[in-house]
Amino acid sequence: MEERKPTRRDALDLLHRYNETDSLRKHAYAVEGVMRYIARKRGEDAEKWGVIGLIHDLDYEKFPDQHCRKTGQILSEQGWPEEYIRAAISHGWGICSDVKPETDLEKFLYTIDELTGLVVTTALIRPSRSVLDVQAKSVRNKWKDKRFAAGVDRSVIEKGAAMLEIGLDEIIEDTIRGMQDVAEAIGLKGNPPPGN
Ligand SMILES: [Fe+2]
Ligand SMILES: [Fe+2]
């Protein structure tokens, strides 16, 4: 099997080919940003973590009924390494796949995927509409408010954090930081807060 390491360019080409919707692309950039941030923090391969973040929802726009499965097929046809394919599919464990996250990369992807959505909504209710302005405690305060970002399944995030044996506060903090790195690309740079 070909084991050429997919590059960010490869991932972006695929993402743009399969995802025309702006919000889906921004979600991919957000997940990439967080995966890169966490990989750097842990001394892991940030390029690999980021590339997998970019393509994890590759099939969602065109094949929503075959989510995860179709991504596996597309990446296989492109000759992507099994490690990347498995990681991408595992983000949908218990939802659209039965591939359980096993590696740290997979567990983090599983955990932060939904969490990025919660951070987006928290940013959008700030006067600045900026992720640069979001604090972990604001996200934490909305945890039990089921009407807030109602589509975000908190139990998935909690399950992921438990698998990683890290606290919610830490993963929330890291997710915010990673998204701040790509604030411009995800359309959440907003305006500087008044007085700054
Ligand atoms: Fe997904
Ligand atoms: Fe996703």
Side-chain angles (χ1 to χ4, degrees):
M1 171 179 206
E2 187 184 346
E3 281 297 302
R4 189 180 73 83
K5 220 175 134 184
T7 63
R8 182 166 196 268
R9 189 67 257 169
D10 297 331
L12 279 178
D13 286 347
L14 278 178
L15 175 71
H16 293 161
R17 193 184 318 160
Y18 284 94
N19 290 262
E20 284 160 50
T21 315
D22 188 52
S23 60
L24 284 176
R25 288 186 182 183
K26 283 179 173 155
H27 171 65
Y29 303 145
V31 172
E32 179 199 18
V34 177
M35 291 298 281
R36 277 183 178 274
Y37 177 85
I38 294 172
R40 276 201 311 273
K41 183 176 161 184
R42 302 171 59 86
E44 300 279 358
D45 181 345
E47 182 78 3
K48 186 206 289 178
W49 285 49
V51 159
I52 291 167
L54 273 176
I55 52 79
H56 78 283
D57 276 335
L58 191 62
D59 59 11
Y60 193 68
E61 179 178 301
K62 301 204 189 310
F63 311 95
D65 299 339
Q66 301 173 69
H67 185 36
C68 295
R69 259 182 303 137
K70 197 71 186 172
T71 296
Q73 196 182 316
I74 296 166
L75 296 179
S76 293
E77 284 165 9
Q78 297 287 325
W80 279 45
E82 190 53 40
E83 181 192 2
Y84 286 65
I85 298 172
R86 190 194 191 281
I89 293 175
S90 74
H91 90 269
W93 177 57
I95 305 158
C96 58
S97 93
D98 54 9
V99 178
K100 188 179 180 185
E102 301 287 358
T103 65
D104 281 352
L105 186 161
E106 292 169 351
K107 290 175 186 171
F108 274 107
L109 177 64
Y110 177 82
T111 309
I112 61 97
D113 182 24
E114 292 278 305
L115 188 48
T116 59
L118 198 52
V119 174
V120 168
T121 311
T122 309
L124 291 178
I125 58 159
R126 305 285 309 162
S128 63
R129 297 176 67 83
S130 171
V131 74
L132 302 177
D133 210 16
V134 170
Q135 300 199 344
K137 68 172 182 329
S138 316
V139 176
R140 208 59 161 105
N141 287 341
K142 295 290 184 186
W143 205 264
K144 293 209 179 333
D145 181 350
K146 294 276 186 279
R147 283 168 305 172
F148 183 84
V152 174
D153 187 345
R154 276 74 158 167
S155 73
V156 168
I157 306 168
E158 288 164 2
K159 233 187 286 175
M163 282 193 278
L164 286 161
E165 298 180 4
I166 62 171
L168 277 180
D169 288 334
E170 184 181 346
I171 192 73
I172 292 169
E173 188 74 49
D174 287 351
T175 299
I176 294 170
R177 291 277 171 84
M179 289 174 70
Q180 288 175 339
D181 286 347
V182 293
E184 180 103 59
I186 62 176
L188 289 177
K189 206 165 170 219
N191 302 308
N196 274 28

